[in-house]
Amino acid sequence: MAARPNPTLRQRRLGAELRRMREQAGFGGSELGRLVGMSPAQVTQMEAGKIGISMERLRTIAATCMCVNEPLIEALSSIITEREKPGWWEEYRGTLSADFVDVAEFEGQARRLTAYTMAFVPGQLQTGPYAAAVFAQTFPPLPRHEIDLRTAFRMQRQRLIRSGATPYSAFIHEAALRMRFSGPAVLSEQLGALIEDSRQPTISVRVVPFEIGAMPSSSENFTYAEGPVPELDGAQVDTGLGIRILDAPAHMARFRSLLARFDSAALSEEESRDFIGTIKKEMESKRE
């Protein structure tokens, strides 16, 4: 089988879980290959997501590695069977950077999404003018057509959330609510849209106010995605050099702990709507 030059996020995740399964069994790549009839090179390529495997091969590897976690094996089987069903984001592969496509795929496969942002309103809830203003702040500056393309892609990503297909929760720091990317008018419109979104049954918006003080890692913008089984949870983290998508158990435990802290400190949904409304009125007064 020819190696894939650019495996998708899901293909890479399948490979990572197979590597984790092998390591937990205490096998090296060569040893596993000998036991299941693969060359060491094939094992390496499989774990990098560069070659696919059949359902039968997955079951053989799981049995060899003494994995008895049937829900996980079934979830990994689903990744294999879904490989012939490309998502809408594949249309943008080669047009936008791999980071953008990976984020859309990451969100598209989640059972539930929970975000925390401190620098801006979460992308899943941004209005078009606000999103364009955020992209316009990129340094070095982007050309206009690139800003428009990224904005259109972000608006398409939002269909998953606004349709109610995937439950979505956002913890938004007060700093993000006050950050002006393009003046008070754009921010006021964004805050109004945020209030309306928060009234949807599948969307929860809660504010983390300044008054609670500093919190551990509160400077990170991240999105936590719940998979079909806890072992397939993941987290997308924004950095100054792009995004990182993490899946190591230790990382997942850390993000779950952070979300529990935000849950205990943030305002309630109703209090958050009132709080956002107050900031919106402040912005409207600055437009007069």
Side-chain angles (χ1 to χ4, degrees), residues 222-253:
F222 68 86
T223 300
Y224 189 94
E226 295 180 25
V229 293
E231 292 85 354
L232 292 183
D233 287 2
Q236 174 233 316
V237 182
D238 294 330
T239 75
L241 298 176
I243 67 145
R244 293 185 66 197
I245 294 180
L246 308 173
D247 56 47
H251 288 144
M252 298 304 96

Side-chain angles (χ1 to χ4, degrees), residues 187-260:
L187 180 55
S188 177
E189 178 189 41
Q190 173 63 78
L191 296 176
L194 196 58
I195 292 170
E196 290 307 308
D197 282 336
S198 73
R199 293 194 172 103
Q200 294 191 35
T202 57
I203 296 178
S204 171
V205 175
R206 296 177 62 193
V207 175
V208 181
F210 284 131
E211 66 184 33
I212 70 167
M215 294 191 72
S217 298
S218 60
S219 61
E220 287 183 345
N221 298 314
F222 68 86
T223 300
Y224 189 94
E226 295 180 25
V229 293
E231 292 85 354
L232 292 183
D233 287 2
Q236 174 233 316
V237 182
D238 294 330
T239 75
L241 298 176
I243 67 145
R244 293 185 66 197
I245 294 180
L246 308 173
D247 56 47
H251 288 144
M252 298 304 96
R254 172 178 176 271
F255 285 114
R256 284 193 290 268
S257 178
L258 283 173
L259 290 174

Side-chain angles (χ1 to χ4, degrees), residues 10 13 17 20 24 69-76 79 106 109-112 224-235 246-256:
R10 293 271 282 175
R13 183 63 189 270
E17 291 304 319
R20 194 169 288 132
Q24 289 175 347
N69 187 339
E70 188 61 29
L72 172 61
I73 296 170
E74 286 297 326
L76 296 178
I79 296 178
F106 171 82
Q109 303 299 335
R111 296 295 190 272
R112 174 182 289 275
Y224 189 94
E226 295 180 25
V229 293
E231 292 85 354
L232 292 183
D233 287 2
L246 308 173
D247 56 47
H251 288 144
M252 298 304 96
R254 172 178 176 271
F255 285 114
R256 284 193 290 268

Side-chain angles (χ1 to χ4, degrees), residues 145-216:
H145 75 273
E146 182 71 15
I147 293 174
D148 292 342
L149 179 63
R150 293 186 181 196
T151 301
F153 185 80
R154 178 158 290 178
M155 296 301 102
Q156 192 161 351
R157 274 175 51 205
Q158 293 179 359
R159 294 178 184 175
L160 183 73
I161 306 302
R162 297 186 186 282
S163 69
T166 302
Y168 180 81
S169 299
F171 294 102
I172 308 176
H173 198 280
E174 182 179 348
L177 298 174
R178 294 186 178 278
M179 192 74 70
R180 297 184 218 171
F181 290 96
S182 186
V186 169
L187 180 55
S188 177
E189 178 189 41
Q190 173 63 78
L191 296 176
L194 196 58
I195 292 170
E196 290 307 308
D197 282 336
S198 73
R199 293 194 172 103
Q200 294 191 35
T202 57
I203 296 178
S204 171
V205 175
R206 296 177 62 193
V207 175
V208 181
F210 284 131
E211 66 184 33
I212 70 167
M215 294 191 72

Side-chain angles (χ1 to χ4, degrees), residues 3 41 50 53 55 59 67 89 103 107 156 164 181 184 198 203 209 275-276 288:
K50 292 188 175 181
I53 61 170
M55 300 273 284
R59 290 281 176 180
C67 176
W89 49 83
V103 167
E107 295 172 351
Q156 192 161 351
F181 290 96
S198 73
I203 296 178
F275 192 93
I276 295 169
E288 297 174 354

